[in-house]
Each structure stands twice: as structure tokens, then as C-alpha cells.
Amino acid sequence: MKRHGPFRLSRRAVRLFYDIHSWLGILAGLALFVCCFSGTLALFEIELVDWERPSARSQGAGTANVDLDDTLSRVFEHLGDERDFFILLPTARSTSIEARAFGDGHVDRIYIDPADGTITEAEGETAFAFLTHLHTDLHLPRPFGRYLVGFLGIFLMLSLISGAMAHPKLIKELFLLRWRPSLRLTFSDIHKQLGVWSLIFGLFMAFTGAVIGLLGLFAPVMVLSAFGGDVEQATEAFSGPHFEATGVEAPMLPVAPLIAELEAAKPGFTTRSFLISHWGDETAELSVNLERTPYRHLAAGESHRLSLVDGRTIHVGSFTERGLGTRLFGSVQPLHYGLFGGIALKVIYLIAGLALSLGIFSGTMLWHARRRTAAVPGSWRERLYIRLGRAHLGVGLGLVVASCFAIAASRLDLAAVAPVFWTTWVVVLLVALVVPDGLALARLGGFAVAVSLGAAASVDLFTSPVTTPSTVAVDLVFLALGLLAAAASSLTPRTIFRFRAARRPSADAAGVA
């Protein structure tokens, strides 16, 4: 039997992998596209929080000038009876201090200016935080949404592997891109190339996403099996002993000296955030999250739990001092979110993530196109695939346009982010169902993206009372992306084919004719 490709598979095996790849894409393609595209944009949630919230901008970034105890006293005074707080300290890219208080079923957020201590209430969820939630749980009830996203990661891994096995001429097609009047043939080549070039990145993202998403589902089973069902012993081994508030008041130690002592004992580490539990109670704790600076390691974080009554160490958690397995597990989240490098690494993640997203979307669109072509003209099957293809285009294009509209809305009113996002998505989907020319609709969507990004950047540049070098850089990037989207939307397949024919008339003139 003749063997094909670098894996030396039979024709029957290739066909089997092709069918697996196709059905995986159809069953989970749209959900995978939503997760991948929203996650690609959500990479920059921390970097863009000050751009989305001009009221929180400040010129004095950094933790050196922050009086932590004074900040905590302001937080306690502002939030009243809350006794559990999470404090996120400023960095060079996010200049405000964020405080979160965990009440009964809700989270209150406030922002403190490190320069003068001014407190600002959270006006609403930023667009990139909204997209982060869309990526992590699809805005479904927790933890079911996170579990679903975890299973989608498994689907993506299987789809990528089966897709690679289904193309025996994978290496040969790596640089094959045929610009011909057949738009489907061109999209087929684009889909293959995007799949190959983003294969390794996609496998890493799928695996780490599956681990993060399904950790809450399988971790308790694995932990309890390792400790013979002893819940208390398993909890203490991984996070230390757990204490409930007793209601007995006790004087609290100042937080700043405790953190300074920790950082002095751990040179090369700095405090990024800390958690206070049961403030004012005899069981009050301070949990400090230390990160290596500059943060260029996959697993270099540590957590220290200290008593706020006597300063003793309750528990130390480290991903670098418990063996290779723990180090690998600690690398999952930094690898998935690109947290082990600077902005240049996230830009690389952005390009690879967009390529992976477009590869997923183009593959499912090709499936609909092939089924529509194979159907009898005028039959119910052809009409069905036409409607499915339009709906598919509406969902994909609607997500892109809605995300850009939500980003523009976040710059004007954070409370409008969610309504603008869902409304735009539904409108684009409905328009796609009735507009027969999908290419024209896609071009119109590209112009909408250009207008929204350009308008958001212009509003920030010319109307914001406070600007910083980082926010101006974001504005310029959005303007450039808007111009790029407008230029890409102005092109048509006819324009591209004519350009190719002008360069190679002997090869392409007949095809254009």
C-alpha cells in the first residue's frame, strides 16, 4: 500500500484524520474562535487598564513612593465593614493601585492614585477585562464556563494534531499560496499555511488552557487520591492551614515593614500584590505574592502567608523549590498568558494568536463552502449550507467588530461596554443572515473596525485631560491598526488578481480572463 507524507500514512489513515479534523472543527469551531480571538486581545488587559480608565492615570508610577499602610487605612475607611482585601500594586505599565473587597457574592473595586491618595470608584468593567472573562468562561456561570473552555482546549489539541496528520504534503504546502480567481482555493491555502505556522503555538496554548480550565474539576480528585481522602492534610500540604475568623479582635501589625522584610530576605524579588484576610481578627493574615524582577522566568513566583498579629510565617508556597513537576505546573499560567516576558513577547503572542484564530475560522468557512458546492443547486441542502455559512460569518465578523466597538465604548463610558458589545454582535449576525454578499459584508466590517479604533484613539488624544507616554503610544497603535484595517478592506479579490496579472501576464492573464 502506498504511503504518503512525512508520517508515512496510508490513504485510508489520511482520510480518517481528515474526517476527524473536519468534524472537530464543525462541532467546536465557533467556540474555539471566540476563545482564541478574545484571549488574544485579553493579553493586554493590564497594559491597557490606564488607557481605558483616564481617571486612574497618574505620573508617579512605581511602588517606591507608595505608603502601603496609609493606602490600607484609606481603603478601610472607604469600604466600611469589609475585612478581606486584595491589593494590586502599580507597575510601569499600570500606574494606579487597585483594591478589591470580596463581599457576599460580589467584588467591589476601587482605584487609588499613588501620587496623592485620591480614591476613584470603579465605573464598570473595562473592555479588556470583559474580553478576558469571555476567554476564560464565555460569560457562563462559574465554574461550568471555565470547565467548558478547558474541554475546548482538548478539542483544539485534537484538531491541530489531526489536521497535521491529514495533510501528507505538509512541508511542501508550507509556502504554497495560490492567488487565483478561485477565492475558495486561495482561502484553502491560507488555512493550511496558518495552521502549519501556528501549530506549535496552538498546541502549547491548547494544552495550557486545558490544564487551567479543568484544574478545578480534576485537581480535587488527584489530590485526595494522593492523600488517601484526607482533605485537611491535602489542603495543608498545598496551601497551609486554614483559619476561620473567630470574632476576637486583636491589634494589627503594620503591613509595610512585613513586606519590606520579605523583600530584603529575597533579593531579586518584588511585591506585585498581596491579600489581607480577616483584618482586625486574631486570625488575620497577610498573603504576599513575590515575583522575580525582571520577570523573565516561567516559574519564579512565591507566596508567603504571615500572621498580622505576631508576624510569624504560616506557609510558604514556591514553584521553584519542590521539584521538576511543581516547576512545570507553575509554568502553565505564565506560558499561557505570556507573563514571563515583556511587551515584545506579548506582541509575538498577538500575531500568533490572530493567525491561529483566522486559521480556525477559515477552516470552518471552507467546510460550509465545500458542502454548499457539493449540494444539488436549488435543493434544501444548498439553502441550508448557505444559511449556515452566513450565520458563521456573522458570528465571526460580529465578534471582531463588537470587540472593537466595546474598546471604543470603554474609553467613553465603562458602563456601556457590555451593552455595546452584545448589541453590536447581534446586529452584525442579523445583517449577515440577510445580506447575500459575504465579501462585501466583511469589507464593511473592516471599515467599521477602522472607524471604531480611529475614533477611540482620537477621542483619547484630543479630549483626555491626562495623558502619559504609554497612553499616547496606545493611541498611535490604534490609529495605525485602524488605517491598516481600512486599507485591507479597500482591497478586493479582483484588485489582487489584476495586480498579479500585471506582474506575471503570461501566467495569470488567462486566469483573470
Side-chain angles (χ1 to χ4, degrees), residues 77 117 135 166 172 175 292 300 321 390 441:
E77 180 181 357
H135 171 69
K172 181 180 178 181
F175 301 97
R292 190 183 297 275
E321 299 177 359
R390 291 178 181 177
L441 180 63

Side-chain angles (χ1 to χ4, degrees), residues 11-25:
R11 186 181 298 275
R12 182 179 179 182
V14 170
R15 182 64 186 177
L16 176 62
F17 279 116
Y18 179 83
D19 291 338
I20 294 174
H21 179 69
S22 298
W23 283 107
L24 285 173

Side-chain angles (χ1 to χ4, degrees), residues 243-252 277-285 307-310 312 314:
F243 304 108
E244 294 288 346
T246 62
V248 179
E249 295 187 1
M252 299 289 97
S277 304
H278 310 152
W279 177 266
D281 193 85
E282 64 177 355
T283 60
E285 296 180 11
S307 171
L308 280 172
V309 176
D310 54 19
R312 62 185 174 87
I314 300 174

Side-chain angles (χ1 to χ4, degrees), residues 446-467:
F447 285 118
V449 168
V451 171
S452 60
L453 292 180
S458 300
V459 167
D460 187 70
L461 278 174
F462 299 112
T463 66
S464 178
V466 180
T467 59

Side-chain angles (χ1 to χ4, degrees), residues 227-416:
F227 289 88
D230 191 334
V231 179
E232 184 176 353
Q233 183 182 2
T235 302
E236 290 191 8
F238 283 89
S239 59
H242 175 71
F243 304 108
E244 294 288 346
T246 62
V248 179
E249 295 187 1
M252 299 289 97
L253 294 175
V255 172
L258 294 176
I259 293 180
E261 184 178 352
L262 267 181
E263 292 181 342
K266 301 291 295 185
F269 285 80
T270 187
T271 302
R272 179 69 180 97
S273 60
F274 59 88
L275 174 69
I276 291 180
S277 304
H278 310 152
W279 177 266
D281 193 85
E282 64 177 355
T283 60
E285 296 180 11
L286 171 67
S287 300
V288 183
N289 298 317
L290 296 178
E291 295 181 356
R292 190 183 297 275
T293 52
Y295 198 72
R296 295 293 186 272
H297 300 77
L298 282 175
E302 292 187 2
S303 62
H304 294 254
R305 290 176 57 195
L306 308 174
S307 171
L308 280 172
V309 176
D310 54 19
R312 62 185 174 87
T313 299
I314 300 174
H315 179 76
V316 177
S318 174
F319 288 118
T320 60
E321 299 177 359
R322 291 188 177 182
L324 179 61
T326 306
R327 186 187 293 269
L328 291 176
F329 179 75
S331 303
V332 169
Q333 188 163 347
L335 182 62
H336 188 76
Y337 293 106
L339 301 177
F340 59 96
I343 192 66
L345 177 67
K346 289 197 172 184
V347 171
I348 296 175
Y349 268 51
L350 172 67
I351 297 172
L354 291 177
L356 180 62
S357 302
L358 182 57
I360 294 171
F361 185 74
S362 60
T364 49
M365 288 295 292
L366 284 170
W367 188 89
H368 288 295
R370 290 192 182 102
R371 294 300 186 276
R372 184 181 68 249
T373 303
V376 177
S379 64
W380 67 269
R381 190 181 297 275
E382 184 188 38
R383 293 193 298 271
L384 172 63
Y385 285 119
I386 289 176
R387 293 190 181 95
L388 289 177
R390 291 178 181 177
H392 195 96
L393 176 62
V395 171
L397 181 63
L399 174 63
V400 177
V401 177
S403 299
C404 295
F405 273 46
I407 293 172
S410 70
R411 182 54 191 81
L412 300 175
D413 184 6
L414 292 180

